[in-house]
Amino acid sequence: TLVGPGDVWFGVGFGAGTMCLHSQGDECPDGGPYAIIVAGKGPEAVTERKLDDHGPGFVLRASVKVRSDSTEHGTRTVVLTRPLRGLTPHHFTFDLQSPSVPFITAKGKSMTFAQHIG
């Protein structure tokens, strides 16, 4: 379940504490994490992406299924499911043996996915 503002895009990136998966000095050779982004309305509102280091990256083949998407009192709640194992190497694989999953969150200034403000 993802919960965020009802009037702007929001998202969560898995497996990293920053926009760079593995920094090497000033470089980020592996780019950013796998992310689920909620932007806009309708069937195309939820996308999966492989983020760049501080960039939008690219859209991945969908592995999530949206079970519900509702907005009430300015808060949007999206319930989704997906397999634990990532569809491709760019998709995050959840490990049931790991006690926690590092993650990052962000939100935008509008419903259009673009630079985040927090």
Side-chain angles (χ1 to χ4, degrees):
T1 301
L2 302 178
V3 179
D7 59 345
V8 297
W9 73 263
F10 63 94
V12 60
F14 295 93
T18 69
M19 287 287 294
C20 181
L21 282 177
H22 308 292
S23 63
Q24 293 179 356
D26 291 339
E27 301 295 317
C28 185
D30 297 329
Y34 162 83
I36 298 174
I37 306 296
V38 179
K41 302 286 183 191
E44 304 298 318
V46 177
T47 59
E48 295 167 86
R49 303 182 79 89
K50 166 67 169 134
L51 299 175
D52 285 332
D53 179 28
H54 296 283
F58 55 90
V59 175
L60 298 170
R61 196 167 84 207
S63 68
V64 298
K65 293 191 184 339
V66 176
R67 300 300 180 187
S68 66
D69 183 350
S70 62
T71 303
E72 188 173 329
H73 304 296
T75 300
R76 187 171 183 177
T77 302
V78 180
V79 178
L80 51 86
T81 58
R82 58 149 271 190
L84 292 173
R85 182 169 179 77
L87 190 61
T88 72
H90 293 302
H91 289 78
F92 185 75
T93 292
F94 293 92
D95 180 359
L96 292 178
Q97 303 303 312
S98 179
S100 64
V101 175
F103 67 94
I104 58 174
T105 61
K107 66 179 181 176
K109 296 186 274 187
S110 72
M111 280 296 208
T112 302
F113 181 62
Q115 185 175 10
H116 63 84
I117 61 169

